[in-house]
Amino acid sequence: MNLSAKKLLAAASVICLIGVPACKPKNAGNAVSADAALKAYVAPGKYDSYYNFVSGGFSGQMAVYGLPSGRLLRVIPAFSVDPEKGWGFSEETKPMLNTSHGFVPWDDLHHPELSQTNGEVDGRWIFGNANNTPRVARIDLATFRTAEIIELPNSAGNHSSPFITENTEYVVAGTRFSVPPDNVNGDVPISTYKQNFKGTLSFISVDKGDGKMDIAFQIQCPGVNFDLSHAGKGKSHGWFFFSCYNTEQANTLLEVNASQRDKDFIMAVNWKKAEEYLKAGKGRKQSVKYASNRYDEKTHTATSTIKTEVIVLDAKELKDICYMIPCPKSPHGCDVDPTGEYIVGSGKLAALIPVFSFDKLVKAIAAKDFIGDYDGIPVVKYESALYGEVKKPGLGPLHTEFDGKGNAYTSFFVSSEVVKWNIKDLKVLDRVPTYYSVGHLCIPGGDSKKPSPKYLIAYNKITKDRYLPTGPELAQSAQLYDISGEKMQLILDFPTIGEPHYAQAIEADIVKKNSVKFFKIDENKHPYVAKGEGATKVVREGNKVHVYMTSIRSHFSPDNIEGVKMGDEVYFHVTNLEQDWDVPHGFAVKGAVNAELLIMPGETQTLKWVPDRVGMFPIYCTDFCSALHQEMQGYVRVSPAGSATPLTFSLGATNTDKSAPKSK
């Protein structure tokens, strides 16, 4: 380990031991100037200028904030069950959380990524990764709901994901934990890591029309840890760049054993060349097992399909698709500037920022200016690919964003700051403190060809003294900086859900023009839809009871059901008849072991309920919908198994009205 890395590790250890407040800047209380409140203020009734999509980390969700206000607008469940929206609880959404391991109702979402057209964010979809059980989700920004989730075989720890090419041709994912491939015996000694463990890159195709995802091909690589990645753009379109650490291929105590080398790698992948090999039949078909889950907004129902095959290209055999570029040291961030010429590596244990040139990289590859290979992958000479180094920028560089004006902004975890520097001359222009231990950064469109350089958001891992105390754990934070001038200015703190990692932002006008306000009831193709109260009914099929129910302000139809028996499975198929914006209805039944339903206008959702005792069970609306919301209720009577009580249902019948009940 070199001296600079030892000093950096020592500094990080001291910070961990004494706590971040010891590093609290003297100006922490007055770092915001008097005009900051005006810059972050959004008047009542006015919209924010930007949507900010922030990963929820271990919550498995994605949060949507308005900028510059910092107002929380939405929490989108992707990989985690959500009782607020019934996600993963309704029969229609349960298939979205299916995997080859079965129903997995949680994950660790780190990285949102907006779809792009011609290298610019287009507001159609945003993708998110599941870092635990490897998956990628596609969220439809017309509805702000998860439309699709695909599982990734041959992978473990889907961290380097879900980064996209400039026309959303591919969503690309690299495995964090190298493991034996799925089609071989994984019951091998962990000590055989170097012989048996492989890293896999997945290239997921995205349909240009409806966004449907499929695994186009995978590339088998050496057994390293892939951390983060970004696609080339402009001149480097057709390439992808991944940060790699643990090139020591250690399998224990990685904090020491994976930090031995002065340089790890940035892996450059020529995916256009990989496509050529794929077309030429150079890939091999491999038997695997993975889930492909899709939600249909016409039927309001998800389906899960288990697929059993992928095509794999071997980077060791096809030597001109992958190249290693040495990068100091334990690189985390891997970022490409708007021109596609400059690739920035951020080594967590490095005291500098290396900037690589795509033009120089291509020339070095053509000249075979290699210093050897790494497990069969050519290693380009460091100096031959290097544009230059930003000297002494700070401690613990992690991530870089760009403003489209020739400047880059890098987060420094250890020294808790954001540093602005010029890409051409590599000179530091400005630095501002963060509070505290900043991780990712976001500039709207900051990883695209066309950033919107008005704001920068820093996502911090620790808050300490920023918010009111809430016990032993405090909210994590985001901090908003105005970067429209030469100097960065802190203008707002706002707390975040879960643990924010990466985030992206987009001009609000691009997204909101396509927003769905309600689903047209006439277009509802759900198999159990009731398009009016006249179509409501209760049907018995053996021990299954199907309730075709409607909801409208302020009653359910039917609201009285009798003849349900112990041993029955009851399916409440609730259709929201409203045809107005922002009038959802909820539905819950006493004793249900799952969550309530939240049904959007024109939509049908299903709650499965298995009674556990004889008795009377209220049903009610859980989402406040009108002045008579409290009156939106009913009853289900449960009788013993074998009871002669007929199955009846009614709406509007009273205890003196014997003519109203209907039966089936």
Side-chain angles (χ1 to χ4, degrees):
M1 184 179 296
N2 63 23
L3 184 60
S4 61
K6 287 181 178 178
K7 288 180 178 178
L8 191 58
L9 280 173
S13 299
V14 169
I15 286 173
C16 292
L17 287 171
I18 65 178
V20 173
C23 299
K24 179 179 177 180
K26 293 180 180 180
N27 65 344
N30 59 3
V32 181
S33 62
D35 66 340
L38 291 176
K39 290 186 175 183
Y41 179 69
V42 177
K46 298 295 184 181
Y47 286 148
D48 280 280
S49 301
Y50 296 89
Y51 287 104
N52 184 204
F53 299 91
V54 184
S55 74
F58 45 71
S59 76
Q61 302 170 332
M62 192 182 296
V64 187
Y65 298 86
L67 295 179
S69 74
R71 297 181 292 203
L72 177 62
L73 304 176
R74 189 80 175 156
V75 176
I76 305 172
F79 305 109
S80 295
V81 293
D82 181 7
E84 178 192 355
K85 302 172 185 67
W87 180 257
F89 290 105
S90 71
E91 294 304 294
E92 288 81 2
T93 59
K94 284 179 181 178
M96 294 297 287
L97 300 179
N98 189 41
T99 74
S100 63
H101 302 275
F103 183 76
V104 178
W106 168 84
D107 222 295
D108 188 13
L109 195 160
H110 279 213
H111 306 127
E113 181 81 358
L114 287 158
S115 57
Q116 295 185 13
T117 300
N118 298 323
E120 298 179 22
V121 290
D122 58 24
R124 299 182 70 189
W125 310 299
I126 189 162
F127 302 88
N129 70 319
N131 188 33
N132 183 51
T133 303
R135 289 171 282 180
V136 168
R138 175 176 59 87
I139 294 167
D140 189 337
L141 292 184
T143 59
F144 280 65
R145 299 202 301 196
T146 302
E148 187 172 10
I149 295 176
I150 192 166
E151 187 182 2
L152 303 179
N154 294 321
S155 302
N158 171 36
H159 189 261
S160 184
S161 165
F163 299 98
I164 65 166
T165 53
E166 68 176 32
N167 285 298
T168 320
E169 296 97 338
Y170 295 109
V171 173
V172 184
T175 187
R176 173 181 175 181
F177 306 104
S178 289
V179 291
D182 287 0
N183 66 329
V184 303
N185 180 16
D187 182 20
V188 296
I190 297 173
S191 59
T192 64
Y193 185 110
K194 292 184 179 182
Q195 293 76 38
N196 291 314
F197 289 50
K198 301 295 180 183
T200 298
L201 309 179
S202 300
F203 283 73
I204 305 165
S205 62
V206 182
D207 187 275
K208 294 184 182 298
D210 58 20
K212 289 179 180 177
M213 301 186 296
D214 286 296
I215 298 177
F217 61 93
Q218 294 185 316
I219 301 177
Q220 183 173 285
C221 299
V224 298
N225 292 55
F226 291 98
D227 202 344
L228 287 173
S229 56
H230 270 97
K233 54 179 72 78
K235 64 167 60 180
S236 56
H237 178 59
W239 288 75
F240 226 96
F241 305 94
F242 297 81
S243 60
C244 308
Y245 68 101
N246 191 24
T247 56
E248 296 86 349
Q249 296 186 313
N251 59 270
T252 184
L253 200 61
L254 263 62
E255 64 175 317
V256 174
N257 294 322
S259 302
Q260 298 298 310
R261 298 186 177 199
D262 287 335
K263 292 183 176 69
D264 290 282
F265 297 117
I266 297 293
M267 176 183 276
V269 179
N270 186 340
W271 60 263
K272 287 286 189 182
K273 177 62 69 172
E275 284 185 328
E276 292 177 14
Y277 282 128
L278 191 68
K279 188 175 181 179
K282 297 294 184 179
R284 66 174 185 272
K285 292 182 179 180
Q286 180 181 323
S287 295
V288 292
K289 186 179 180 182
Y290 66 99
S292 174
N293 310 326
R294 291 172 178 165
Y295 192 86
D296 186 328
E297 293 291 7
K298 295 296 185 183
T299 64
H300 306 292
T301 301
T303 56
S304 178
T305 304
I306 296 296
K307 298 191 174 183
T308 57
E309 187 177 84
V310 289
I311 299 178
V312 178
L313 301 170
D314 192 328
K316 192 172 183 178
E317 297 173 0
L318 308 171
K319 295 185 180 296
D320 54 353
I321 56 175
C322 293
Y323 301 90
M324 294 295 201
I325 310 168
C327 181
K329 174 179 187 190
S330 296
H332 185 55
C334 180
D335 303 284
V336 181
D337 88 305
T339 70
E341 166 61 12
Y342 303 104
I343 302 109
V344 180
S346 296
K348 299 189 296 290
L349 303 181
L352 52 81
I353 302 174
V355 181
F356 301 101
S357 162
F358 178 72
D359 286 343
K360 292 186 70 174
L361 171 65
V362 171
K363 289 179 182 177
I365 291 171
K368 298 188 182 301
D369 194 1
F370 305 139
I371 57 172
D373 70 82
Y374 179 84
D375 199 9
I377 309 298
V379 179
V380 177
K381 186 178 180 182
Y382 178 69
E383 292 77 12
S384 298
L386 185 70
Y387 173 75
E389 297 172 339
V390 183
K391 302 291 187 181
K392 298 181 179 179
L395 296 177
L398 290 185
H399 303 286
T400 300
E401 290 276 290
F402 306 93
D403 64 9
K405 299 187 292 186
N407 302 311
Y409 301 73
T410 300
S411 60
F412 288 83
F413 179 82
V414 177
S415 51
S416 286
E417 60 184 335
V418 177
V419 174
K420 176 182 178 181
W421 50 278
N422 182 269
I423 300 172
K424 289 294 180 65
D425 63 20
L426 307 179
K427 300 295 185 184
V428 172
L429 303 174
D430 190 24
R431 64 179 70 236
V432 291
T434 61
Y435 309 98
Y436 305 92
S437 298
V438 61
H440 280 275
L441 300 176
C442 170
I443 291 173
D447 76 335
S448 71
K449 283 184 179 179
K450 190 178 179 180
S452 179
K454 185 171 179 60
Y455 300 114
L456 176 144
I457 311 96
Y459 303 94
N460 304 324
K461 301 302 184 184
I462 301 170
T463 55
K464 294 294 186 184
D465 51 18
R466 302 306 287 183
Y467 307 123
L468 286 171
T470 53
E473 184 184 20
L474 305 177
Q476 296 187 354
S477 74
Q479 292 181 304
L480 181 67
Y481 295 82
D482 181 347
I483 60 169
S484 58
E486 291 185 7
K487 298 294 184 180
M488 295 176 278
Q489 180 191 16
L490 176 62
I491 61 175
L492 183 68
D493 276 352
F494 58 95
T496 57
I497 67 161
E499 182 190 0
H501 291 263
Y502 193 44
Q504 293 210 323
I506 184 174
E507 291 92 337
D509 288 342
I510 298 175
V511 175
K512 69 184 183 183
K513 64 184 178 182
N514 296 319
S515 182
V516 171
K517 295 186 175 180
F518 58 86
F519 298 102
K520 295 179 180 179
I521 193 73
D522 290 341
E523 296 178 0
N524 186 326
K525 306 298 184 185
H526 192 284
Y528 293 97
V529 62
K531 295 187 177 182
E533 290 183 1
T536 60
K537 57 186 176 180
V538 181
V539 178
R540 175 178 291 281
E541 297 176 356
N543 72 326
K544 292 180 172 60
V545 176
H546 293 277
V547 181
Y548 295 69
M549 179 177 281
T550 60
S551 61
I552 196 167
R553 289 167 286 186
S554 297
H555 64 270
F556 294 108
S557 177
D559 62 4
N560 279 238
I561 301 170
E562 300 186 40
V564 173
K565 302 172 185 178
M566 288 297 296
D568 284 346
E569 295 178 357
V570 184
Y571 295 84
F572 296 97
H573 309 288
V574 187
T575 301
N576 183 346
L577 296 180
E578 307 285 355
Q579 291 290 267
D580 193 8
W581 194 14
D582 196 26
V583 191
H585 286 295
F587 177 83
V589 58
K590 178 188 174 184
V593 296
N594 46 12
E596 49 102 50
L597 297 177
L598 190 63
I599 313 114
M600 297 300 109
E603 183 181 47
T604 303
Q605 290 287 289
T606 301
L607 180 72
K608 179 183 177 181
W609 175 54
V610 180
D612 68 341
R613 67 195 67 179
V614 170
M616 195 63 63
F617 293 84
I619 58 176
Y620 69 103
C621 178
T622 55
D623 192 288
F624 197 96
C625 54
S626 72
L628 297 177
H629 166 72
Q630 287 292 99
E631 284 74 15
M632 193 167 177
Q633 65 176 57
Y635 293 98
V636 179
R637 174 187 171 190
V638 178
S639 300
S643 168
T645 304
L647 186 63
T648 62
F649 59 98
S650 64
L651 172 68
T654 68
N655 56 3
T656 59
D657 183 356
K658 303 300 183 182
S659 61
K662 306 171 185 177
S663 64
K664 182 69 176 181

